């Protein structure tokens, strides 16, 4: 049994209906994936499997946070992930050549289990914001470095929008 075996669900012999699984993805999980953007943090994954006679619908809800560095002030922050639900459809049979959907997975009827680890990892990566910035004003104590933010605000106030456009016009 490998380190990712805990993230697989048995599909052979699973009764028709809804089945719910919960996973907590921590640093140990993310270290198993080379080049992971999440090095520290806690991600909760709720997996609901709707087994039907000819296919399965797997809904994965992701929430949590990652420890990272603020892109504005370089202070360590606890960056919340965008809560989201993604869906995977698991069909029995061979992959169709015309099938062009990423959310569709094909398995044989003899497949004993569905390995969720790559999907959990992918969905956690998709939940990351584009920039490591969030509204931290309500947190006590505020994680942001106020000195750096004040310097940035002063710098942006010194350079007005008109200065930028004037400099761009000079390029012509």
């Amino acid at each position: 049994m490998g380190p990712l075996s805990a993230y697989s669900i048995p599909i052979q012999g699973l009764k028709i209906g809804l089945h719910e699984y919960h996973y907590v993805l921590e640093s140990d999980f993310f270290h198993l994936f080379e080049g992971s953007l999440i090095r520290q943090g806690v991600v909760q994954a709720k997996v609901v499997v709707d087994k039907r006679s000819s296919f399965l619908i797997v809904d994965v809800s992701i929430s949590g946070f990652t420890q990272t560095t603020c892109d504005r002030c370089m202070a360590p922050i606890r960056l919340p992930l965008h809560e989201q639900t993604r869906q995977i459809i698991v069909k029995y049979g061979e992959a169709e050549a015309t099938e062009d959907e990423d959310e569709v997975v094909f398995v044989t009827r003899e497949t004993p289990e569905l390995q969720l680890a790559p999907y959990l990892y992918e969905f956690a990566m998709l939940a990351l914001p584009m920039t490591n910035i969030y509204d931290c004003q309500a947190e006590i104590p505020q994680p942001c470095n106020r000195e750096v933010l004040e310097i940035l605000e002063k710098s942006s106030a010194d350079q007005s929008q008109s200065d930028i456009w004037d400099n761009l016009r000079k390029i012509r």
Side-chain angles (χ1 to χ4, degrees), residues 5 7 12 21-22 26 46 61-62 93 96 101 138 143 168:
S5 63
Y7 305 99
Q12 195 172 46
Y21 303 89
H22 294 271
E26 295 178 320
K46 176 184 169 188
S61 299
I62 296 288
E96 299 172 18
E101 298 179 41
L168 287 173

Side-chain angles (χ1 to χ4, degrees), residues 86-113:
R86 303 254 177 194
Q87 189 174 78
I88 307 166
I89 298 174
V90 181
K91 292 184 178 180
Y92 294 110
E94 297 296 319
E96 299 172 18
T98 60
E99 196 67 52
D100 198 23
E101 298 179 41
D102 291 336
E103 303 86 21
V104 179
V105 177
F106 289 91
V107 297
T108 64
R109 291 242 181 231
E110 293 78 34
T111 302
E113 59 189 20

Side-chain angles (χ1 to χ4, degrees), residues 28-128:
D28 295 344
F29 174 81
F30 293 106
H31 285 273
L32 297 172
F33 296 90
E34 187 176 328
S36 176
L37 297 176
I38 298 176
R39 302 309 294 165
Q40 294 180 345
V42 177
V43 177
Q44 291 84 25
K46 176 184 169 188
V47 178
V48 178
V49 178
D50 184 1
K51 174 140 188 210
R52 302 194 180 169
S53 59
S54 59
F55 63 95
L56 295 96
I57 298 173
V58 181
D59 291 318
V60 180
S61 299
I62 296 288
S63 64
F65 69 92
T66 179
Q67 295 288 104
T68 189
T69 304
C70 179
D71 286 344
R72 283 187 296 199
C73 67
M74 302 304 291
I77 59 172
R78 185 176 159 173
L79 182 68
L81 301 179
H82 297 299
E83 290 189 28
Q84 55 184 280
T85 299
R86 303 254 177 194
Q87 189 174 78
I88 307 166
I89 298 174
V90 181
K91 292 184 178 180
Y92 294 110
E94 297 296 319
E96 299 172 18
T98 60
E99 196 67 52
D100 198 23
E101 298 179 41
D102 291 336
E103 303 86 21
V104 179
V105 177
F106 289 91
V107 297
T108 64
R109 291 242 181 231
E110 293 78 34
T111 302
E113 59 189 20
L114 178 64
Q115 179 55 260
L116 291 176
Y119 303 107
L120 297 175
Y121 173 77
E122 180 181 336
F123 296 158
M125 292 299 109
L126 291 172
L128 286 171

